[in-house]
Amino acid sequence: MHRKRTRARFAALAATVSVALALAGCAGSANSSAGGSSTQLTVLTPKPTADVDTVTWNVFQGEPQTLDPYHGADFTPNMINSNMCETLLAQTPDFTITPNLAKSFSNPDPLTWVYDIRDDVKFWDGSPLTADDVAWSLNHNIQDKTTFYGYLYANVASIATTGDHEVTVKLKTPDYLFNEELASFAGVIVQKKFYEANGAKVGTPGVGLMCTGPYKFVSWTQGKSVNVTRNDAYWNKDLPLKVKNIDFTFLTDDSTITSALLSGQIDGTYGPPSGSLAQLRTSSAGKLYTGPAPLMTTLVVANDKGALGNTDVRRALQLAIDWKGIAKQVFAGGGFPATLSTAEPAYGFAKSQLDAYAATVKTDGSAKLDQARKLLANVPADVKAKTISLVVPQQAETQQFGLAIKSAADKIGLKFTLNVVPATGYSNYLYDPATRGDTDLLYTQFWPNIPNPLDWLGITSIPGASFDQSGYDGITDLYYQAVGTKDDAARAKIVTEIMKKQHDEAMPMWAGIQLNNTVWLGNKITGAPAAFDYVFYPWAAYLGGTGK
């Protein structure tokens, strides 16, 4: 008997990530091995050779609402928190999952996960990390109903300290996704004593945090910056940790950010403005790097009661869209047409099987108008007479994206309307059925918790999930069968079956534009991962000086 997974994490994300800054945050010039461009991607930028006293780093999405890692599942808080608060497991810049605060783990039976906690880790106040801290941190996702990651604990029966350095999780039903999710902030570890003393004030400017990461919270000057300093007692000596202080600033205006980067006022940033990429690529003030990312800008079928309730209509419209042209014109070459509804860097344990399947259905992303028209030839006239509606946020790139979709519909004779709504209210269309009404398609940008296709599917394709706006139920049984399957190869076979079904049905999330990640490093710094790993991994610990 499976338990329904639901997700609230993207409610806070959509208004800015999917709207005002999504494209600016992910444009670049290169492609992964699965893409259509020949430019080589970079996972890690060159290693630092010198120490640096202070680095100013801009978080492109603006000031966070909180730094509480249980409630800050967004670009800005995660980019800062990932350097302060650590997770039980870790997802590295090459998208692999490894032990972290848990130095090892075991699965002695299908309902049990046992974690051996490191004995050489201290909180910033000098007190040791204990198994009780770990058990409390994980249990907090169950006990606090407002955490973003509580839905991932639906199959958990109990979490308990079972030894001096051991924590045991008991499940209600086998769940081979749960363990890997502990490499996201679903597995964040905080100090029990600090949380119990400060409650809802944790993560606020006057209270801050108490964690074990390579950087310690110093101050938060609202409207200006969050300041952190190096944790010289940090346990992981494999990371360079050559920067003493980091000031995280909150500039959001594109021209202001660009000027600050070129002048050296800001030393670095992830997601520099897309309109400035050409200028940054040729600037002598620093270097722009492009890395792989499990990021997709795409369309979600939000209503299966209208014209898109017909499979041939869905497939026809998807075929008619010039995804290749969108990648070039809208995203300035910073993305490429995806083959499957899951981005290639998130294939995870199923990579070889999904790569093989993707090769059988891959296209160059150009519009296939003749094929689309043939599919529509047998569609009942009353179905084709229904107007298809798409809602996009009011932002230049997203409007271009929407116009490209409308152009495709017009070319194959579908009735289509494009609705542009204020960016500040766009998240209501994603998460509020009353606002959404009978809207047929929604624009979105999507990234998963971990590089695992089951995580992606659990958020987009299961009834009750936050990105399954149409109530799609086509893979539910297969999904939970996969989650409960221990053997990687057998699980990958089920996932491949799911991907084939979704590809053939064109439901519910379409294969859109897979995006790359970009990072700008001024001349004095280097080392930051170019891969999209800054939302859960201590990327700033790689930073250091160039000696310039």
Side-chain angles (χ1 to χ4, degrees):
M1 182 68 179
H2 61 70
R3 295 291 301 273
K4 181 173 73 173
R5 295 176 186 267
T6 59
R7 175 185 180 90
R9 170 173 171 248
F10 284 83
L13 184 68
T16 34
V17 177
S18 291
V19 184
L21 293 165
L23 307 182
C26 304
S29 61
N31 255 323
S32 76
S33 59
S37 173
S38 60
T39 304
Q40 184 66 39
L41 294 181
T42 300
V43 174
L44 291 173
T45 60
K47 293 181 179 180
T49 58
D51 292 338
V52 177
D53 183 73
T54 302
V55 164
T56 300
W57 193 275
N58 194 59
V59 285
F60 58 79
Q61 198 185 27
E63 188 167 12
Q65 294 181 341
T66 179
L67 289 178
D68 182 346
Y70 292 100
H71 296 94
D74 211 336
F75 278 125
T76 285
N78 280 26
M79 194 185 303
I80 301 172
N81 280 340
S82 60
N83 300 293
M84 295 193 291
C85 296
E86 297 186 277
T87 49
L88 205 56
L89 307 183
Q91 46 185 306
T92 63
D94 63 356
F95 304 127
T96 58
I97 291 177
T98 65
N100 196 42
L101 293 181
K103 64 181 180 181
S104 64
F105 55 85
S106 61
N107 181 217
D109 64 69
L111 298 180
T112 306
W113 289 92
V114 181
Y115 298 92
D116 185 9
I117 310 304
R118 298 187 66 94
D119 60 5
D120 58 349
V121 179
K122 294 182 178 180
F123 289 103
W124 302 328
D125 64 0
S127 62
L129 169 69
T130 69
D132 284 342
D133 290 303
V134 172
W136 188 94
S137 297
L138 301 183
N139 269 312
H140 191 64
N141 289 285
I142 300 172
Q143 294 167 353
D144 181 353
K145 302 305 181 183
T146 67
T147 66
F148 279 104
Y149 301 96
Y151 76 99
L152 292 169
Y153 285 73
N155 287 335
V156 173
S158 67
I159 302 168
T161 300
T162 50
D164 289 344
H165 302 286
E166 182 182 276
V167 171
T168 299
V169 176
K170 289 289 187 178
L171 302 174
K172 302 169 186 175
T173 186
D175 187 334
Y176 292 96
L177 176 60
F178 172 79
N179 180 59
E180 290 196 0
E181 293 287 3
L182 300 183
S184 73
F185 279 147
V188 72
I189 305 302
V190 300
Q191 189 185 64
K192 173 185 176 182
K193 177 177 67 175
F194 186 86
Y195 256 78
E196 289 183 335
N198 292 285
K201 294 181 180 179
V202 172
T204 61
V207 173
L209 302 160
M210 183 56 64
C211 293
T212 63
Y215 283 91
K216 302 185 289 185
F217 177 86
V218 174
S219 63
W220 177 354
T221 304
Q222 288 184 288
K224 182 181 179 183
S225 64
V226 168
N227 311 105
V228 302
T229 193
R230 185 172 58 207
N231 174 15
D232 289 326
Y234 184 54
W235 63 272
N236 190 350
K237 305 306 180 184
D238 292 334
L239 299 180
L241 209 57
K242 288 181 173 292
V243 176
K244 185 175 181 181
N245 303 294
I246 304 176
D247 296 335
F248 292 102
T249 57
F250 313 135
L251 300 179
T252 58
D253 178 74
D254 286 359
S255 61
T256 303
I257 293 172
T258 302
S259 296
L261 294 174
L262 295 175
S263 68
Q265 179 184 350
I266 297 174
D267 297 308
T269 186
Y270 282 109
S274 58
S276 303
L277 293 182
Q279 184 180 8
L280 294 173
R281 288 189 185 105
T282 59
S283 172
S284 61
K287 187 166 182 179
L288 182 72
Y289 294 91
T290 305
L295 289 161
M296 182 96 73
T297 288
T298 187
L299 297 171
V300 176
V301 177
N303 175 26
D304 63 358
K305 303 297 188 292
L308 294 183
N310 183 285
T311 301
D312 285 338
V313 174
R314 293 194 304 271
R315 293 180 62 203
L317 180 54
Q318 188 176 25
L319 284 169
I321 296 169
D322 183 8
W323 298 104
K324 183 177 181 180
I326 290 173
K328 181 178 180 180
Q329 300 300 327
V330 179
F331 296 96
F336 56 92
T339 301
L340 304 180
S341 58
T342 301
E344 187 271 339
Y347 286 1
F349 68 89
K351 178 171 172 51
S352 61
Q353 293 89 339
L354 291 180
D355 278 344
Y357 170 62
T360 67
V361 294
K362 183 176 177 58
T363 74
D364 64 359
S366 59
K368 308 294 191 297
L369 297 177
D370 288 343
Q371 292 181 40
R373 293 184 181 112
K374 287 180 181 178
L375 283 172
L376 290 177
N378 296 319
V379 174
D382 62 327
V383 174
K384 287 188 286 188
K386 296 179 180 179
T387 299
I388 299 170
S389 59
L390 165 65
V391 176
V392 301
Q394 191 174 9
Q395 197 256 353
E397 291 91 342
T398 54
Q399 290 184 68
Q400 282 184 274
F401 182 86
L403 288 170
I405 309 305
K406 184 178 188 307
S407 175
D410 292 343
K411 288 176 181 177
I412 58 174
L414 290 175
K415 293 185 176 181
F416 195 93
T417 181
L418 174 64
N419 298 318
V420 179
V421 301
T424 54
Y426 183 68
S427 62
N428 293 331
Y429 285 85
L430 289 170
Y431 305 108
D432 180 15
T435 300
R436 184 164 63 247
D438 58 2
T439 298
D440 297 290
L441 286 171
L442 294 170
Y443 161 91
T444 191
Q445 184 193 85
F446 186 84
W447 51 276
N449 290 314
I450 55 173
N452 184 315
L454 286 173
D455 176 82
W456 192 294
L457 291 165
I459 305 165
T460 65
S461 306
I462 303 299
S466 59
F467 266 71
D468 184 16
Q469 286 91 347
S470 66
Y472 174 72
D473 194 23
I475 65 158
T476 303
D477 290 341
L478 287 171
Y479 170 82
Y480 284 106
Q481 180 185 345
V483 167
T485 299
K486 182 175 183 178
D487 181 71
D488 282 352
R491 195 180 332 116
K493 183 177 180 181
I494 300 170
V495 169
T496 304
E497 183 180 352
I498 290 172
M499 289 296 174
K500 184 179 187 305
K501 180 177 177 63
Q502 291 198 327
H503 178 273
D504 293 345
E505 293 179 347
M507 278 290 282
M509 179 179 280
W510 291 358
I513 304 298
Q514 185 172 313
L515 299 170
N516 297 314
N517 190 53
T518 50
V519 60
W520 166 266
L521 299 177
N523 284 332
K524 82 173 188 180
I525 63 171
T526 187
F532 180 83
D533 198 37
Y534 56 81
V535 291
F536 294 121
Y537 190 73
W539 57 272
Y542 284 84
L543 278 175
T546 61
K548 294 182 179 180

